[in-house]
Amino acid sequence: MQTRLTEMLGVTHPIVNAPMTPQAGGALARAVSEAGAFGIVGLNEDESAEQIAEQVALVKAGGFSKPFGIGLVIWVLERRPDLLDLAIAAKPTLVSISFGDPAPYVERLHRAGILIASQIQSRASAMRAAQAGVDIIVAQGTEAGGHTGAVGTLPLLQIVLDAVDVPVVAAGGIASGRGLAAVLAAGAVGAWIGTPFLAAAESRTPEQARERIVASDETQTVLTSLFDRAQGKAWPQEFRGRALRNRFTDQWNGREEEMLRAPGALDEFRAAKAERDYTVANVYAGQSVGMVSARTTARAVVERIAADAAGHLQRAASLVR
Ligand SMILES: Cc1cc2nc3c(=O)[nH]c(=O)nc-3n(C[C@H](O)[C@H](O)[C@H](O)COP(=O)(O)O)c2cc1C
């Protein structure tokens, strides 16, 4: 399949692995790029410059030269401007810069010859990103794993495709050829996929979290700011995180202030996080977790989705007389 996205990024499949921190490290990005899609390394605010350089080195080891990207979060950049320098030094084809106004970063990235993608969650934020001069807009629906907005992928995609002239990639809930075919048929140039790659061997998902991902269905996620509050993360209020429901969300979601004051609640969370006890600690994942039922590899995810989408698009084309 050839789209504007495959042309812009120099890849075979119109599929991008979402910059999931810390799960989408160098090994996942490389495996995705090796499979002919576009791999992105998410830069993690909790890691040092050396640790980040190690992840980038994994993509480039042995002279590997296929295109890859780097993922940044805007409110994190405001605290750690060094991450922008690290991203540029890695010489990626594209930098993803999301959750805020990308305008202050566009000129510098473009001067370095780097394409810019920005995830948006509303018509207003899409128009702001287009005006800022980003090259690709990622319409991220509320079905998505990790931090996201409140509008579903399908309504958001339709609204954004009509509102901007910039190529639009769809994110949130796409985990099969059906999903990729649907967004391409609607006019998107590709899919930005996160949750299915959490079960790939190359991701940095801890084994205990992987078990829960494989066992969960589409009804078992919740959009919550609980884990940000528990970890003191400064996410802007409009972005909550979609995570697997667990005992901690059942008890405290929507009662974050009370949780912070309750004796022992934070200690319980911190201990669970240290012990990888995900009945209490967070596993960010989207609603497409209902389509992730086995451990897999990045290549298997890419090849299955791309091959199935081509079949669905051919069938869809035959509907038109
Ligand atoms: C575990 C996890 C961590 C994420 N971390 C980030 C991040 O650091 N930066 C970012 O721009 N998006 C992040 N996202 C959101 C993804 O970029 C993307 O929008 C989402 O995974 C797409 O939806 P899907 O999970 O339904 O495929 C994360 C998603 C997940 C599941």
Side-chain angles (χ1 to χ4, degrees):
M1 274 177 293
Q2 257 196 322
T3 71
R4 183 89 184 89
L5 185 75
T6 60
E7 287 164 14
M8 287 172 91
L9 300 181
V11 294
T12 309
H13 306 300
I15 294 172
V16 175
N17 95 251
M20 303 178 286
T21 51
Q23 291 83 349
L28 180 64
R30 179 175 179 140
V32 168
S33 289
E34 261 173 351
F38 190 76
I40 301 189
V41 184
L43 295 201
N44 183 358
E45 74 261 28
D46 299 327
E47 288 185 341
S48 66
E50 291 70 30
Q51 288 169 317
I52 287 170
E54 277 170 28
Q55 290 302 317
V56 172
L58 290 176
V59 187
K60 299 188 153 191
F64 184 75
S65 62
K66 286 202 169 176
F68 75 100
I70 298 274
L72 298 169
V73 170
I74 290 167
W75 70 262
V76 171
L77 265 188
E78 286 159 6
R79 290 154 182 242
R80 276 200 64 184
D82 67 306
L83 294 186
L84 186 65
D85 304 326
L86 289 169
I88 292 172
K91 298 194 188 314
T93 300
L94 171 137
V95 163
S96 153
I97 184 160
S98 301
F99 306 115
D101 183 2
Y105 308 100
V106 167
E107 197 192 326
R108 189 158 166 224
L109 288 165
H110 276 167
R111 241 190 295 127
I114 297 169
L115 294 169
I116 303 163
S118 189
Q119 297 196 78
I120 55 81
Q121 298 76 22
S122 65
R123 182 201 306 265
S125 55
M127 293 181 65
R128 180 177 66 184
Q131 241 156 28
V134 307
D135 305 285
I136 294 167
I137 284 182
V138 184
Q140 186 207 31
T142 192
E143 298 93 318
H147 287 80
T148 185
V151 182
T153 302
L154 198 49
L156 183 68
L157 181 62
Q158 296 167 80
I159 289 166
V160 172
L161 282 167
D162 283 341
V164 299
D165 286 330
V166 181
V168 176
V169 171
I174 303 161
S176 71
R178 295 182 194 283
L180 175 57
V183 300
L184 291 177
V189 295
W192 185 275
I193 295 178
T195 296
F197 287 113
L198 292 174
E202 300 88 347
S203 83
R204 296 204 281 171
T205 309
E207 188 46 38
Q208 298 88 330
R210 204 178 291 256
E211 263 168 38
R212 290 182 75 86
I213 288 164
V214 165
S216 296
D217 72 28
E218 65 281 6
T219 67
Q220 289 172 306
T221 72
V222 61
L223 192 58
T224 183
S225 55
L226 179 63
F227 296 119
D228 294 329
R229 301 303 302 280
Q231 295 175 96
K233 300 238 179 204
W235 274 91
Q237 270 187 348
E238 64 198 285
F239 305 114
R240 290 177 291 160
R242 186 171 296 285
L244 296 186
R245 265 183 64 188
N246 62 15
R247 188 152 57 74
F248 201 59
T249 61
D250 285 351
Q251 187 172 2
W252 296 113
N253 181 33
R255 298 167 56 216
E256 286 75 15
E257 295 303 322
E258 251 180 278
M259 179 275 294
L260 290 172
R261 288 192 306 267
L266 270 184
D267 290 341
E268 183 192 17
F269 174 79
R270 287 179 187 139
K273 188 103 186 152
E275 288 158 17
R276 301 190 165 175
D277 170 6
Y278 297 107
T279 61
V280 172
N282 52 296
V283 177
Y284 284 116
Q287 292 176 341
S288 71
V289 75
M291 289 179 267
V292 181
S293 56
R295 287 167 176 71
T296 181
T297 63
R299 176 175 291 277
V301 172
V302 168
E303 289 182 347
R304 173 180 53 81
I305 295 176
D308 289 354
H312 286 293
L313 284 172
Q314 273 157 356
R315 272 194 292 282
S318 73
L319 296 174
V320 183
R321 305 242 190 274

